[in-house]
Amino acid sequence: MIKVKNLVKKYGSFLAVDHLNFEVYDGQILGFLGPNGAGKSTTMNILTGYLSPTEGDISIDGIDMFEEPEKAKALIGYLPEKPPLYLDMTVYEYLWFVAELKGVKKKERFEEVKRVIELTSIDNVKDKLIKHISKGYKQRVGVAQALIGNPKVIILDEPTVGLDPAQILEMRNLMRSLSKNHTVILSSHILSEVSEVCDTILIINSGKLIRMSSTEELLSEFTVEDEIILSVKASYKDVFELIKDIKGLKSAKEISNDGTVTTLSITWQDTGVDVKDEITFKLAANRISIVELKKEKKNLEEIFLTLVEKSNKVSDEEGEENAGYL
Amino acid sequence: MQAIYKKEMKAYLHSVVGWLFMAFLTAFIGLYFFYANLLNGSPYFGYSLYSVSLIFVLTIPLLSMRIMAEENKLKTDQLLLTAPVKTWKIVVGKYLSMVTLFTIVMLASCILPLIMTKYGTVNLKMSYVGILGFYLLGCAYMAIGLFISGITENQAMAAILTFVFVLATQLSDSIVGLFNSDSKSNFVVFTVLAIAIAGILYLSMKNIFVSAVSFIVIELVMIVLYLVNSSIFDGLASKLVTGLSLVTPFADMVSGVFELKSVVFFLSVIIVFLYLADNSLKKRRFN
């Protein structure tokens, strides 16, 4: 659906995008991941025809962006980093204008605007001036605008920024439902967010492609051993005596001890026995109370940081100011 | 194009700007008409318009400052430039919205010469040629204002630059009068001009080498010309200004001289500046 060949973008002598190559297939949800300043927005701006690359080619559904820009642009709906909203229009007026701008026929315009308003659930603000609605709603109007004309490709630059947790969940569901009929590219600097929604993740740093692989592959590669954190009202010795015989247990380390509560990190191999259950039963049988028991989650952000740091080491000369901070 | 045009018309008419522009212009035309043509009984409506034309200094920037700069500032240009629309259609749509407001005022003022016929003999052809000249001058300034608005993100900056440009054009004849017409002072004027050109080249290309070379080339050519035949430079500055001035053909038209070449001149100015505005819009993609 989208082919990017050898994409380079220079701002003066600063290399924002450095020989990027990738391909996105029909119906894929691609997550664009990278620290701030990695070149995500620049790449998206080039993909949508807003910026011209210094070198390289882009084709959307076989149509070259630079030879037939109008045709290629008609296939794309784009939400830039800052939603392009006219603050003095009402939401409805604005969407009507976008529909007209994108060449939606007059007969279909009413239905189309209604459709995107329903999809993004902004019906209750549609008659308000855009300058009077909240940031979360502005973001959704921005998405609604991108959906108008039902383009094959939808490109969203950090679509969940500024939304509250409930709205983020809604937005994720929306993006998932979009992927049924569209090819979706979205960007974020938060890996957990991208991995929630996307089936493929593309990581860039300092304008370079670091990694492009399926979400599952990326996550499984970096899986840490199963680990639980256990806090109990007992000494380390007592607890260790009790649990050392549990099948599959690999290690039990003391992390902290404040006199009454001891915290341990426990790891084990998967042998089919539920180690958590076993530990709870044994402690309960000995009347040792558990303050907290939690499964340590695989830290996605660490995967991302590891990859980014690796790439920074490789290209040390230009690394420092673009070092991966989140 | 239609979508942009409608959007801009709404923006002008939903805010105070469009109304202010029309009210201001109508009021001034009305004032001069009342004072010069009715009270003092002058039969020349064109001469009133000639005096009114100085008000373009304020009304053109008022109308044109936001037309492109606002989009650049709010980043809504991202919407326009990623929509399946050719850039020249965006420019023309916006330009036509400004021209529409101006046309409304000018159509209204077409009644004024007819009112004058009630009180005496009026050369109607002369009056309407004057109105046409005034209209074309305003349209040309609007195209220039649109271009200036497109090269900046800052509306105030666009307003100031347009103000200075319109003012300088309006006063160009008297400014030229300040220069001596002898070849030596003209040579100095053109040297200053060459420095200005080199400066603009440097600002737009950030290449000191190109601008230095172009300055040296221009200067050398001028020195050679001066040594060979210094009389070329006699009054050259004023000839150049009169040749390029928007006011010269306008002055012709308000005094009733209808020449096709004046109309063609105004139309070419409009087309050139709209073309430049379109180009600067396209060029933003390469920055």
Side-chain angles (χ1 to χ4, degrees):
Chain A
M1 189 50 128
I2 303 172
K3 276 187 195 161
V4 174
K5 259 190 241 154
N6 211 19
L7 198 67
V8 178
K9 177 73 183 175
K10 282 182 191 165
Y11 292 116
S13 61
F14 174 70
L15 203 57
V17 176
D18 189 0
H19 297 91
L20 216 53
N21 285 294
F22 64 88
E23 211 167 307
V24 188
Y25 302 100
D26 221 345
Q28 210 168 16
I29 314 193
L30 176 75
F32 238 66
L33 193 65
N36 288 327
K40 300 189 294 286
S41 294
T42 306
T43 310
M44 289 185 148
N45 277 334
I46 299 173
L47 280 180
T48 52
Y50 177 61
L51 291 177
S52 289
T54 315
E55 280 172 43
D57 288 308
I58 288 169
S59 71
I60 312 286
D61 204 11
I63 298 167
D64 192 287
M65 179 55 90
F66 311 109
E67 280 166 19
E68 298 174 283
E70 281 78 30
K71 264 192 183 174
K73 283 173 186 172
L75 297 171
I76 303 177
Y78 180 37
L79 169 70
E81 204 171 5
K82 185 171 184 278
L85 306 173
Y86 295 103
L87 303 179
D88 289 328
M89 289 187 187
T90 67
V91 171
Y92 196 86
E93 269 176 346
Y94 172 71
L95 293 175
W96 188 268
F97 162 68
V98 175
E100 200 177 354
L101 183 71
K102 289 191 179 178
V104 177
K105 288 197 188 73
K106 204 167 188 180
K107 280 181 203 157
E108 298 154 18
R109 224 175 280 158
F110 178 76
E111 282 300 315
E112 183 63 14
V113 171
K114 201 174 139 203
R115 184 183 73 87
V116 298
I117 284 178
E118 272 166 19
L119 261 178
T120 50
S121 36
I122 48 174
D123 194 52
N124 49 337
V125 295
K126 71 170 195 279
D127 295 319
K128 283 192 182 170
L129 287 182
I130 292 179
K131 65 180 162 194
H132 290 154
I133 62 177
S134 71
K135 196 174 179 201
Y137 272 117
K138 278 181 189 156
Q139 192 75 18
R140 282 199 257 177
V141 176
V143 175
Q145 160 275 124
L147 299 180
I148 280 185
N150 212 7
K152 283 187 179 173
V153 179
I154 290 170
I155 298 183
L156 309 169
D157 198 351
E158 310 217 349
T160 54
V161 164
L163 302 186
D164 65 36
Q167 292 170 335
I168 289 181
L169 282 181
E170 252 177 65
M171 184 67 81
R172 282 181 190 164
N173 289 332
L174 173 64
M175 288 187 281
R176 274 195 211 103
S177 69
L178 287 177
S179 69
K180 284 173 202 144
N181 304 310
H182 307 267
T183 306
V184 181
I185 300 184
L186 59 102
S187 79
S188 174
H189 53 269
I190 304 166
L191 175 58
S192 52
E193 181 173 302
V194 169
S195 64
E196 276 284 313
V197 186
C198 301
D199 47 32
T200 311
I201 295 181
L202 189 156
I203 302 179
I204 60 172
N205 186 34
S206 314
K208 279 197 199 70
L209 180 80
I210 297 179
R211 187 67 190 269
M212 182 169 175
S213 54
S214 74
T215 310
E216 284 163 26
E217 197 181 308
L218 195 69
L219 294 186
S220 66
E221 187 177 325
F222 285 86
T223 304
V224 287
E225 297 171 304
D226 284 336
E227 182 186 11
I228 56 170
I229 303 291
L230 174 70
S231 303
V232 289
K233 283 186 182 166
S235 71
Y236 171 72
K237 232 179 190 177
D238 294 346
V239 179
F240 187 72
E241 282 302 313
L242 280 173
I243 63 170
K244 69 179 182 192
D245 297 330
I246 295 172
K247 203 178 155 198
L249 191 82
K250 260 178 78 183
S251 75
K253 278 178 283 183
E254 187 175 350
I255 303 172
S256 69
N257 185 349
D258 68 354
T260 49
V261 179
T262 311
T263 305
L264 298 91
S265 144
I266 299 168
T267 59
W268 70 90
Q269 281 164 331
D270 193 7
T271 53
V273 183
D274 191 330
V275 178
K276 286 197 300 299
D277 284 357
E278 290 297 315
I279 293 174
T280 337
F281 296 151
K282 290 225 167 169
L283 291 175
N286 287 282
R287 299 191 59 78
I288 294 175
S289 75
I290 298 172
V291 179
E292 193 182 15
L293 175 84
K294 63 176 178 189
K295 193 155 187 284
E296 184 75 344
K297 276 194 182 152
K298 290 167 281 190
N299 192 339
L300 295 173
E301 305 311 329
E302 271 168 21
I303 302 177
F304 172 41
L305 281 178
T306 323
L307 283 172
V308 168
E309 270 159 28
K310 247 193 235 166
S311 89
N312 278 346
K313 269 177 205 157
V314 173
S315 57
D316 232 354
E317 68 273 18
E318 52 192 4
E320 281 185 9
E321 73 238 43
N322 301 318
Y325 55 89
L326 289 168
Chain B
M1 186 149 89
Q2 241 183 26
I4 305 265
Y5 172 74
K6 278 191 214 160
K7 184 206 112 191
E8 294 302 336
M9 283 308 284
K10 262 189 204 166
Y12 277 133
L13 297 178
H14 283 185
S15 73
V16 72
V17 175
W19 297 106
L20 204 62
F21 169 81
M22 291 196 286
F24 220 47
L25 209 57
T26 316
F28 267 85
I29 293 174
L31 198 71
Y32 272 87
F33 168 72
F34 182 72
Y35 182 76
N37 301 119
L38 292 188
L39 275 187
N40 288 340
S42 152
Y44 306 114
F45 184 56
Y47 291 162
S48 304
L49 288 177
Y50 187 77
S51 315
V52 175
S53 72
L54 195 61
I55 207 66
F56 280 143
V57 165
L58 293 177
T59 48
I60 298 292
L62 173 76
L63 203 59
S64 71
M65 62 179 186
R66 56 161 285 281
I67 194 91
M68 307 293 281
E70 194 181 39
E71 308 262 7
N72 299 347
K73 178 90 181 182
L74 290 175
K75 300 268 178 218
T76 42
D77 60 329
Q78 281 189 314
L79 172 65
L80 303 184
L81 292 177
T82 57
V85 180
K86 288 197 161 61
T87 51
W88 69 262
K89 288 189 175 172
I90 298 172
V91 172
V92 173
K94 281 170 174 287
Y95 179 65
L96 287 181
S97 74
M98 294 199 282
V99 168
T100 304
L101 294 181
F102 187 41
T103 309
I104 293 170
V105 176
M106 292 320 290
L107 285 179
S109 55
C110 281
I111 305 167
L112 300 179
L114 294 179
I115 295 175
M116 284 157 63
T117 54
K118 285 211 144 200
Y119 303 98
T121 18
V122 175
N123 187 340
L124 279 181
K125 184 203 156 209
M126 188 178 155
S127 300
Y128 285 110
V129 169
I131 290 178
L132 181 66
F134 187 79
Y135 181 65
L136 288 173
L137 179 71
C139 288
Y141 280 147
M142 281 174 182
I144 295 165
L146 183 136
F147 164 69
I148 293 176
S149 178
I151 55 176
T152 165
E153 273 183 17
N154 185 335
Q155 289 191 36
M157 189 59 133
I160 292 167
L161 285 176
T162 312
F163 172 84
V164 170
F165 188 92
V166 177
L167 187 69
T169 315
Q170 283 290 331
L171 301 179
S172 58
D173 287 347
S174 31
I175 292 173
V176 167
L178 297 176
F179 300 139
N180 285 329
S181 63
D182 68 303
S183 53
K184 215 182 259 174
S185 45
N186 268 296
F187 183 80
V188 174
V189 168
F190 278 92
T191 305
V192 173
L193 211 63
I195 293 172
I197 289 172
I200 291 169
L201 275 178
Y202 178 69
L203 281 179
S204 57
M205 292 169 74
K206 304 267 179 253
N207 189 333
I208 191 85
F209 181 73
V210 172
S211 62
V213 166
S214 48
F215 171 72
I216 293 167
V217 169
I218 295 172
E219 202 57 30
L220 279 178
V221 171
M222 273 167 40
I223 290 171
V224 170
L225 282 176
Y226 188 78
L227 291 177
V228 173
N229 183 2
S230 66
S231 65
I232 299 176
F233 282 90
D234 283 339
L236 191 59
S238 62
K239 272 184 220 155
L240 186 77
V241 170
T242 329
L244 289 177
S245 169
L246 291 165
V247 178
T248 320
F250 171 58
D252 288 349
M253 287 180 85
V254 288
S255 47
V257 183
F258 180 80
E259 270 182 300
L260 200 60
K261 85 170 189 218
S262 309
V263 178
V264 170
F265 176 73
F266 280 123
L267 290 180
S268 358
V269 169
I270 292 168
I271 290 166
V272 164
F273 277 92
L274 291 183
Y275 175 77
L276 287 177
D278 178 39
N279 258 32
S280 79
L281 196 62
K282 280 185 189 140
K283 195 181 151 270
R284 291 177 65 79
R285 303 173 53 206
F286 294 95
N287 287 333

